Amino acid sequence: MITVRLNNAEFFAYHGFYPEEQLIGGRYLIDITVTFEPQGELNDELPQTVDYQAIYTICKEEMATPRKLIETVAHAIMKRIKNGYPYITELDVILKKLNPPLGGTVAYSAVNVNYQAAKKSIGI
């Protein structure tokens, strides 16, 4: 198994339930962990792994689409990564909204969505 991580990818985006959040925007951090079984013998080529540049691009594109809930954003990122790499066995996406407008000091609010492939049973 191999694990690829993208940590603290930072974006400025316009997500939020309240209209002023969608006008003002805010800063977000994304952590992604992808575990997979290599596709054949590793030979230093991208098609045999999970390309973290492609994962970053997916995050960038999804963050550019304003949504009310960060849960929806995180789920869209997870779905696109999973569809792009069907051999993934585990996928974890954490989306943090920095300094959320909650009426007090809060470093961030966050959601975590994950996927785990069904384990293949071995017949005996």
Side-chain angles (χ1 to χ4, degrees):
M1 295 291 223
I2 294 178
T3 299
V4 173
R5 290 185 174 90
L6 190 65
N7 291 317
N8 291 327
E10 188 169 346
F11 300 92
F12 189 87
Y14 297 91
H15 306 301
F17 186 78
Y18 301 103
E20 58 270 15
E21 292 179 286
Q22 292 186 6
L23 284 174
I24 297 168
R27 291 176 42 233
Y28 297 83
L29 296 176
I30 300 176
D31 297 333
I32 295 179
T33 303
V34 178
T35 302
F36 64 97
E37 194 68 49
Q39 300 299 288
E41 185 68 30
L42 289 178
N43 66 4
D44 226 17
E45 297 296 327
L46 284 175
Q48 295 181 315
T49 188
V50 173
D51 180 359
Y52 52 82
Q53 175 64 50
I55 290 173
Y56 179 86
T57 300
I58 289 169
C59 292
K60 184 177 178 182
E61 291 170 358
E62 293 300 330
M63 292 300 289
T65 303
R67 294 186 176 93
K68 289 182 179 179
L69 301 176
I70 59 175
E71 291 89 332
T72 309
V73 181
H75 187 265
I77 290 168
M78 181 190 68
K79 186 175 176 182
R80 285 187 59 191
I81 293 170
K82 194 173 79 145
N83 288 342
Y85 300 95
Y87 49 87
I88 286 174
T89 57
E90 294 179 42
L91 172 59
D92 193 54
V93 177
I94 301 171
L95 177 53
K96 302 172 190 172
K97 183 175 192 171
L98 302 179
N99 304 308
L102 299 176
T105 303
V106 176
Y108 63 85
S109 58
V111 297
N112 185 344
V113 296
N114 54 61
Y115 161 80
Q116 211 166 27
K119 298 195 188 248
K120 296 178 184 175
S121 63
I122 300 172
I124 296 178

